[in-house]
DNA sequence: GTTTTTACGTCAGCCATGTTGACTTTTATC
DNA sequence: GATAAAAGTCAACATGGCTGACGTAAAAAC
């Protein structure tokens, strides 16, 4: 175990180490979302809109139920977000080719512009952290983070070049 | 850069790598907070109460303004959380010894019990991820996460045994 | 071809948690 | 004694979760 400075009381270190991890998550997430939240506020949107914009940008043609599975919120909540984003011209819908019940979602040009603006900042933050920490640390970061993520969503992170396939079946549609 | 499988298009990999990091954060945070959120709901509390309980448990005797700096919310928001937690017997206040304007906060026995219940789950999740990933990966995880955290809060994570000293001065009290 | 299931939507209302702005009380400090 | 700081309070508002109930259209099953 990474042999830390003095003392070496493994029990204490373990407890302390785990607490530090909890705090790392809290602080990193807090700081990771700060700037995007400010940008979103100018449009009258919130963090939830960002998540929708992000995943629709990431997987153009994604369906509502796939989005629901990723976000793990209720369809009523998602519906509110989506209808705002459609109404204001950031997302457009079109019926699925095989299954015409589906609404396939994609960003409009305006939506792509906002997406870029939002993620630019986050990419910069991460790129800086990656650069500082070095390639080996990045690999470790990936491994630890993956271990905390629910099984069904891990496949997104297989080293690959194509688009993600959004995992297994649905899991809590309306509850 | 950790030499990934095929292709090796560094530009694509970079973009893809950064997007993956964003998603790792999103999914890990989502799954990290799921169980505690359920426990809190049984008490009529939310995630914000958890953060207060956590930091008060972590730094007994912490003052309101120190908490405000950590959480970066307004004192009105914090005040609502605190008064609920005090009213329901999870936190108790006592005036500061030197400065009697301060309310020094600490968990009651009931508060400590809830804190343990909440963090037990998160510790288990992290411990499992740490174990799977290995000591070296853990070190990398720390380094990357630290790089994303605002300067003033990094000192909390210096390798040490004592209690954290809650960083620099205040930063947005009521705005 | 009728029935059932699925994908999606909608209305109404509740709660938690963030916000702003204005004002008060208590205590330290200059 | 005046000023500043730590904390609290009241009021009002927005976002984004939630539940429950109901509706519609298309696909799938019988």
């Amino acid at each position: 175990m990474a042999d830390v400075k003095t003392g070496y009381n493994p029990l204490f270190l373990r407890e302390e180490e785990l607490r530090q991890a909890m705090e790392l998550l809290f602080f990193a997430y807090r700081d990771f979302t700060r700037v995007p939240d400010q940008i979103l506020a100018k449009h009258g949107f919130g963090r939830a809109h960002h998540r929708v914009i992000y995943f629709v940008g990431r997987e153009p043609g994604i369906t509502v139920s796939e989005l629901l599975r990723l976000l793990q919120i209720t369809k009523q909540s998602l519906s509110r977000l989506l209808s705002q984003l459609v109404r204001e011209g950031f997302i457009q819908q079109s019926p699925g080719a095989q299954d015409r019940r589906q609404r396939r979602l994609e960003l409009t040009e305006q939506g792509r512009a906002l997406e870029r603006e939002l993620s630019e900042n986050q990419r910069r933050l991460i790129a800086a952290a990656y650069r500082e920490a070095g390639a080996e640390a990045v690999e470790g970061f990936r491994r630890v983070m993956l271990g905390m993520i629910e099984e069904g969503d891990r496949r997104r992170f297989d080293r690959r070049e194509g688009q993600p396939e959004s995992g297994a079946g649905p899991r809590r549609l309306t509850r």
Side-chain angles (χ1 to χ4, degrees), chain A residues 91-111:
Chain A
I91 284 182
Q92 67 185 99
Q93 303 169 318
S94 50
Q98 310 98 311
D99 186 337
R100 299 213 322 274
R101 289 171 305 179
Q102 297 176 339
R103 261 80 165 176
R104 301 254 159 186
L105 306 169
E106 52 186 331
L107 297 182
T108 60
E109 191 42 61
Q110 195 189 171

Side-chain angles (χ1 to χ4, degrees), chain A residues 119-132:
Chain A
S119 54
E120 198 178 287
N121 211 281
Q122 299 192 313
R123 279 204 301 268
R124 211 166 18 230
L125 187 70
I126 293 172
Y130 272 19
R131 203 175 325 111
E132 268 181 62

Side-chain angles (χ1 to χ4, degrees), chain A residues 83-95:
Chain A
S83 56
Q84 292 171 65
L85 288 167
V86 169
R87 190 179 337 117
E88 311 209 10
F90 293 88
I91 284 182
Q92 67 185 99
Q93 303 169 318
S94 50

Side-chain angles (χ1 to χ4, degrees), chain A residues 70 102 105 115 125 143 146 148 157-158 165 168 170 172:
Chain A
L70 292 172
Q102 297 176 339
L105 306 169
E115 199 282 326
L125 187 70
R143 287 166 60 87
L146 264 176
M148 291 193 290
F157 300 96
D158 294 347
E165 264 310 313
R172 180 217 253 193

Side-chain angles (χ1 to χ4, degrees), chain A residues 58 142 146 149 153-160:
Chain A
R58 174 78 157 156
R142 277 182 55 95
L146 264 176
I149 294 175
D153 283 316
R154 290 188 197 169
R155 73 188 62 188
R156 291 180 71 80
F157 300 96
D158 294 347
R159 304 299 185 134
R160 50 98 234 282

